[in-house]
Amino acid sequence: MKKSCLFVLTVVWLTLMCACSQQKGGEGTSADADSVVVVSEHFDYADSADNAYLTINIELPEAADEVTTKMRSYLLQLVGDRLSYVTSYEGRRAYPLYHGDSDDAATQLKYYFKETMLLLDTLSANDIGERKRYLEEDTTLTPEQKSEALNDLPNWGYEYKLLKTADTLNYVVFLSQDYTYTGGAHGGMGGDGYITFDKTDGHVVSQFVDTTRVVAMQPLLVEGLKQYYSEAGEQPMTTDELFERLQLPFDGPKRQIPLPLWQPCPTSEGLLFCYGQYEIACYADGMPSFVVPYSKIKPFLTDDALNLLKDYLK
């Protein structure tokens, strides 16, 4: 079996990590914990085929009580939904969800790993076969050019991470992120983003800010994006220059920055907003992200977020 390595996911992952502790371990091992920390298990898988590779790194809360059991179940469902739609661009699952013992996380994850690897193997082999046929039928290429092109056919790759990025007295945050490469000019980042659980009952904070107040939030979003580009080494921008730089959705209001598809992530300093690749900017601009201080974002928080972050809003 041959292995391939892509470092894009690692770099972006480190960039998006919240300022908090990160626990490490092998499959089935538990991290150290005290009375506050959510104890975790780590599940790591890697394999490759002739034309594709797959790596999966997952961290799940141990099912120690009703709250952590609820979190664990939610994340396992999230993993199944994400992996069973890998490379699917038509809204259809590539293979069925796991239907065995819902409490057996290891067996579930091994099922998804096996099915995803088989899927990548099949699709990549079909893709390579089509590329070879195209090259062989191309009468404009010399035998040397064909040989060179055949030797440079790209392998597919998929990397998935679900890891804990923050663990405080009131909440715990996991980041779901993946990287997909299917032989094009470059791969793409995706995932479900930040998932924040309220530790009181284990529910997910599904909405941090009032989506009906996007217009009123524009100054905060503009300021945050200017900060992002400035910290990336760009010269200070005017607001007009920022809008010229951005690639906003064609079906949205002109000169209005939308909220990110990912939910914001709470940090000790404020809410971290992160946009996906191509969401508001070109590929070269990465995934624009910035922190809005709680003192500024407080008027726009939902009741659920206000309750979760009350200790930071005093």
Side-chain angles (χ1 to χ4, degrees), residues 229-278:
Y229 284 110
S230 176
E231 292 177 351
E234 299 278 351
Q235 293 295 321
M237 294 182 181
T238 64
T239 299
D240 286 340
E241 289 171 337
L242 174 65
F243 278 101
E244 289 178 6
R245 177 67 172 266
L246 298 177
Q247 297 180 352
L248 299 178
F250 292 110
D251 58 350
K254 292 183 178 180
R255 292 180 66 87
Q256 180 174 309
I257 301 168
L259 292 173
L261 294 177
W262 283 6
Q263 281 297 306
C265 172
T267 73
S268 59
E269 303 299 326
L271 279 189
L272 170 63
F273 289 77
C274 180
Y275 290 88
Q277 288 179 334
Y278 293 116

Side-chain angles (χ1 to χ4, degrees), residues 80 134 153 172 187 240-241 308:
Y134 175 80
L153 291 177
V172 58
D240 286 340
E241 289 171 337
L308 182 79

Side-chain angles (χ1 to χ4, degrees), residues 17-19 166 171 265-272 291-292 294 309 312:
M17 287 286 286
C18 299
Y171 61 82
C265 172
T267 73
S268 59
E269 303 299 326
L271 279 189
L272 170 63
V291 173
V292 178
Y294 287 121
L309 302 172
Y312 296 94

Side-chain angles (χ1 to χ4, degrees), residues 10-199:
T10 301
V11 173
V12 177
W13 179 270
L14 293 175
T15 302
L16 298 180
M17 287 286 286
C18 299
C20 52
S21 62
Q22 179 81 15
Q23 299 172 347
K24 299 180 180 179
E27 179 177 343
T29 62
S30 299
D32 294 334
D34 54 29
S35 59
V36 175
V37 173
V38 171
V39 182
S40 305
E41 290 182 288
H42 290 250
F43 303 85
D44 302 314
Y45 308 92
D47 198 2
S48 62
D50 289 339
N51 305 297
Y53 80 94
L54 170 65
T55 63
I56 295 177
N57 306 107
I58 293 175
E59 181 176 6
L60 294 175
E62 288 190 351
D65 51 34
E66 184 177 349
V67 171
T68 51
T69 297
K70 186 175 181 179
M71 295 178 185
R72 185 182 179 95
S73 297
Y74 182 95
L75 291 174
L76 280 170
Q77 180 65 43
L78 193 79
V79 170
D81 285 336
R82 172 59 50 179
L83 294 180
S84 63
Y85 279 101
V86 169
T87 72
S88 175
Y89 302 103
E90 299 178 356
R92 295 181 295 186
R93 291 190 194 278
Y95 57 82
L97 289 172
Y98 174 80
H99 291 298
D101 183 359
S102 61
D103 295 328
D104 188 348
T107 300
Q108 286 191 59
L109 296 177
K110 288 177 181 177
Y111 166 80
Y112 288 124
F113 174 70
K114 177 182 177 181
E115 292 296 322
T116 304
M117 189 68 250
L118 288 173
L119 175 67
L120 292 175
D121 187 15
T122 300
L123 294 179
S124 63
N126 291 341
D127 178 57
I128 292 296
E130 290 182 5
R131 291 173 186 263
K132 287 182 177 179
R133 286 191 294 273
Y134 175 80
L135 288 170
E136 290 167 354
E137 295 171 359
D138 192 340
T139 59
T140 66
L141 299 177
T142 66
E144 292 77 12
Q145 289 174 324
K146 288 185 179 182
S147 177
E148 182 179 351
L150 288 170
N151 289 332
D152 290 337
L153 291 177
N155 287 344
W156 285 30
Y158 182 74
E159 303 178 21
Y160 177 75
K161 290 180 181 287
L162 174 67
L163 298 177
K164 183 170 66 172
T165 62
D167 195 342
T168 74
L169 183 64
N170 300 331
Y171 61 82
V172 58
V173 181
F174 289 79
L175 175 57
S176 162
Q177 191 174 30
D178 62 12
Y179 175 84
T180 306
Y181 180 70
T182 56
H186 54 72
M189 303 295 302
D192 299 288
Y194 298 104
I195 301 100
T196 302
F197 294 97
D198 188 323
K199 280 190 171 182

